Amino acid sequence: MVTAKKSSATKKPKVVGVEVLKKNGVDIDALVKQLITNASVEFTAYYYFTNLRMHATGMEGEGIKGIIEDARLEDLSHFESCIERIFQLGGSLPNDAQAFIKMSGCEFLKLPKNPTDIKAILEKCLKAEQGAIVNWDKVCKMTFGKDPATYDIAKDILMEEIEHESWFLELLYGRPSGHMRRKFSGERPHTQKHSRALG
């Protein structure tokens, strides 16, 4: 009796980059799940920040558009920064874009009742950045001392999210942030090495 050989397409390969992390104590499934959630949040925040920025009108709005733009483009960089790592760890993005966006829980970023209310727009931006800090801190804690590759990405994203939070705190509460304007929109000083799409 002749038996067919298993094709290499159906045989699961040994992935040393994952096996090492398991030996280090990383829960790969939990990490991938958190990275996908974080990617969803960053992607959705980019979309909503685009809309919020468009509604920052008038003289006051014109003054904050650049700050929202910096945060918006850096959120896109954060989305792109973690995508490769998700796939390296054996994960993938959902096929359903609507399910992916819903996963983020960012519905609060919809336009305020008065869509050009600058204070309400800034409050939404601040809440988004604070949620992102919590999310990326989780990844840092999951990977510190165990997964240097993912930790490097997460701590760089976390640094930019902390900067974003400080910008919006300054605008809303007059709390000095030490904010130095980016050289150009999308500069992303910490995550540019992880994301190439913005140039």
Side-chain angles (χ1 to χ4, degrees):
M1 183 172 134
V2 178
T3 56
K5 289 184 178 178
K6 283 187 177 179
S7 80
S8 59
T10 58
K11 184 180 176 186
K12 283 196 170 188
K14 180 178 181 180
V15 183
V16 174
V18 171
E19 294 302 317
V20 166
L21 299 183
K22 287 179 180 176
K23 287 177 185 173
N24 289 348
V26 176
D27 182 337
I28 299 295
D29 292 337
L31 177 57
V32 168
K33 184 178 179 184
Q34 186 64 51
L35 286 171
I36 293 170
T37 298
N38 288 11
S40 167
V41 171
E42 298 294 348
F43 180 80
T44 307
Y46 169 75
Y47 170 80
Y48 280 129
F49 270 46
T50 300
N51 203 19
L52 290 169
R53 181 190 177 282
M54 297 303 161
H55 286 81
T57 60
M59 289 178 66
E60 189 183 7
E62 198 59 36
I64 65 163
K65 274 184 179 172
I67 295 168
I68 296 174
E69 179 71 355
D70 286 343
R72 178 184 86 93
L73 290 176
E74 288 180 10
D75 283 346
L76 176 60
S77 178
H78 301 166
F79 166 70
E80 293 185 339
S81 292
C82 63
I83 298 303
E84 183 178 18
R85 194 66 183 135
I86 289 169
F87 282 88
Q88 288 170 348
L89 294 170
S92 62
L93 298 179
N95 283 330
D96 184 339
Q98 288 180 326
F100 183 58
I101 288 170
K102 275 188 179 175
M103 177 187 301
S104 74
C106 288
E107 289 83 3
F108 70 89
L109 274 173
K110 290 177 181 173
L111 290 172
K113 286 182 182 177
N114 173 0
T116 58
D117 180 338
I118 300 300
K119 185 170 186 274
I121 287 171
L122 290 173
E123 285 170 346
K124 287 176 177 288
C125 291
L126 175 61
K127 187 175 178 184
E129 302 302 350
Q130 291 174 332
I133 289 170
V134 172
N135 287 341
W136 287 108
D137 183 64
K138 285 179 188 173
V139 176
C140 285
K141 286 177 180 169
M142 294 169 87
T143 57
F144 181 71
K146 302 176 190 174
D147 176 358
T150 307
Y151 179 78
D152 187 47
I153 295 165
K155 61 112 174 131
D156 287 344
I157 294 173
L158 179 60
M159 188 62 236
E160 286 177 358
E161 299 292 13
I162 289 169
E163 288 179 357
H164 298 172
E165 177 193 38
S166 72
W167 301 345
F168 294 117
L169 285 170
E170 179 177 342
L171 290 166
L172 283 164
Y173 300 104
R175 178 184 185 274
S177 66
H179 180 207
M180 304 296 279
R181 285 304 307 268
R182 300 300 198 221
K183 291 176 189 172
F184 55 90
S185 289
E187 180 189 359
R188 66 213 193 285
H190 304 283
T191 60
Q192 61 183 315
K193 64 184 177 183
H194 306 298
S195 168
R196 299 177 185 89
L198 293 172

